[in-house]
Amino acid sequence: MKKSITRKSLSIIIVAALTLIMFFESTSIVSHAEDPYEILLEATTVYNGVDYSAEYDAYCYYMNYADIRAAFGMDPYALIMHYALYGRYEGRIANRLIATEEVVVPSGDESVSVIDITAHDNGGMTAKQEQIARSKAQQIANKINANYASAVSNGYSPSKDEGEQIIKCAYAAAVVQAYCNEGTYSTSGTHYRNAYGVFVAREYNTEGATRALGLVLDYLGIRWSHANIGTYADQWCKVIADNQEGYADGINGVAGYGKSSLEGGDGDEIGYADIREIFSVF
C-alpha cells in the first residue's frame, strides 16, 4: 500500500528544498557536530520582516521535534522559515521545551526507587537563560568526564563501594557548591530559584542549586528528580547512580548512595575532600 505524504511531512520537504537552495547562496549552514546551545543561542527569530520572538525560540524548536532536527539540523534560517510558514499553523511548540520522558525504572535492583524525571522544572528561566545555563552545565559535565577518563588512564579505578556515577555526582555537586560560594544567597532576587542564577547571575538558594546540579547531571547521563520541589524545605537531587538509589546535593557539595541525610539517610557522603585526590577539581 502506498503511503500518502502528510501535510507536516510536505512542509518539511518544501523547506528542505529551499534550504538546499540557500546552501548554494550562503555559507550559513552549520556543522551538525557543533553544540546546538551555542549555535542556536543567537539564532534569528525574524522571517520575511516579521519577528516571532514572542512565540519562537530556535533551540526549543530544534530540540522538540526529531523530524525538524533530521530535516534542517541547526540551520537557524531553515528553522525559522519552517516555523513561520508551517510550524505555527501545525500547532508545533517553539517557545518551551517539551518533556518526552516520564519515569526511569532502573534495572538490576528491585529495591531502587522509581524516579519521576518530570518532577523538576527550569525554575522560571527564559528560553535564552536556559540555553546559557545548559551550555555552562554541558561544559562542566564534559570537564568531569574528561578528568575522570584521565584519572582512569592514570591507574585510578572506583572501589566496590563507590562506582563511577556516584563519583561523578559528587564531583558535580562540588563544582555547583563552588559556584554558589562565589554568589549571594537570596530568597528575593530575580534568579535565585534557577540554574541561571547559580552559573551567571550569581544568586542562589537550595532550590537554584538543585536545578543547576540537575542540569549537569543531565549531561552526565544520570537521571534525577527534584526533592521537595516547590516547598520551603531543603532541596537536593534524588538520583539513580550505578543502578542504586542515591542523592546529590549542590548546596553542601556531597553525594552518596541511599537517602540523603536531609531525608533521614545514614550520612555516608562523598564530598570534595574525598575526590580531590582523584581529580584536579576546577
Side-chain angles (χ1 to χ4, degrees), residues 27-28 34 70 109 126 129 177 205 279:
T27 57
S28 64
E34 296 179 82
D109 186 347
T126 66
Q129 290 166 353
Q177 183 190 44
N205 68 4
F279 306 106

Side-chain angles (χ1 to χ4, degrees), residues 4-252:
S4 61
I5 299 177
T6 66
R7 181 173 298 179
K8 285 187 177 182
S9 298
L10 182 60
S11 72
I12 290 177
I13 293 170
I14 293 171
V15 175
L18 292 174
T19 302
L20 184 61
I21 295 172
M22 290 164 60
F23 176 83
F24 293 103
E25 295 180 346
S26 72
T27 57
S28 64
I29 307 300
V30 297
S31 168
H32 287 250
E34 296 179 82
D35 183 357
Y37 303 114
E38 298 294 335
I39 293 301
L40 300 178
L41 183 62
E42 300 299 334
T44 182
T45 59
V46 177
Y47 177 73
N48 200 25
V50 178
D51 188 350
Y52 295 95
S53 58
E55 61 191 72
Y56 170 85
D57 180 273
Y59 170 72
C60 292
Y61 200 49
Y62 172 86
M63 291 299 295
N64 283 346
Y65 300 102
D67 59 340
I68 295 294
R69 293 195 296 274
F72 311 125
M74 290 177 287
D75 183 341
Y77 301 101
L79 291 171
I80 185 59
M81 181 190 300
H82 184 271
Y83 178 76
L85 295 179
Y86 302 102
R88 61 197 186 104
Y89 299 111
E90 295 168 355
R92 294 187 187 249
I93 296 172
N95 61 354
R96 61 183 172 83
L97 294 174
I98 303 172
T100 57
E101 298 178 272
E102 294 181 355
V103 295
V104 173
V105 183
S107 60
D109 186 347
E110 294 181 357
S111 68
V112 178
S113 300
V114 173
I115 284 188
D116 181 353
I117 64 171
T118 64
H120 52 77
D121 55 40
N122 76 358
M125 291 185 290
T126 66
K128 292 298 182 186
Q129 290 166 353
E130 182 164 359
Q131 289 172 10
I132 293 169
R134 282 187 173 274
S135 181
K136 176 58 69 174
Q138 186 176 44
Q139 292 174 42
I140 293 169
N142 288 346
K143 185 68 173 179
I144 290 172
N145 284 329
N147 282 9
Y148 188 89
S150 177
V152 171
S153 69
N154 288 324
Y156 168 75
S157 60
S159 70
K160 64 178 182 179
D161 298 320
E162 296 177 355
E164 175 180 343
Q165 288 189 321
I166 204 64
I167 289 292
K168 289 182 177 180
C169 282
Y171 195 153
V175 173
V176 169
Q177 183 190 44
Y179 270 94
C180 291
N181 289 343
E182 292 297 317
T184 301
Y185 183 89
S186 174
T187 58
S188 60
T190 305
H191 304 293
Y192 69 91
R193 297 177 60 248
N194 58 49
Y196 185 85
V198 173
F199 294 138
V200 181
R202 298 302 172 88
E203 60 182 40
Y204 73 95
N205 68 4
T206 183
E207 194 170 3
T210 299
R211 290 188 171 102
L213 177 55
L215 289 190
V216 180
L217 297 179
D218 282 344
Y219 288 105
L220 290 173
I222 296 170
R223 300 302 191 182
W224 68 283
S225 67
H226 191 146
N228 293 334
I229 187 172
T231 72
Y232 291 105
D234 289 321
Q235 298 175 34
W236 66 94
C237 296
K238 293 185 176 182
V239 302
I240 296 298
D242 309 305
N243 282 331
Q244 300 183 54
E245 182 178 8
Y247 62 90
D249 183 347
I251 284 287
N252 295 304

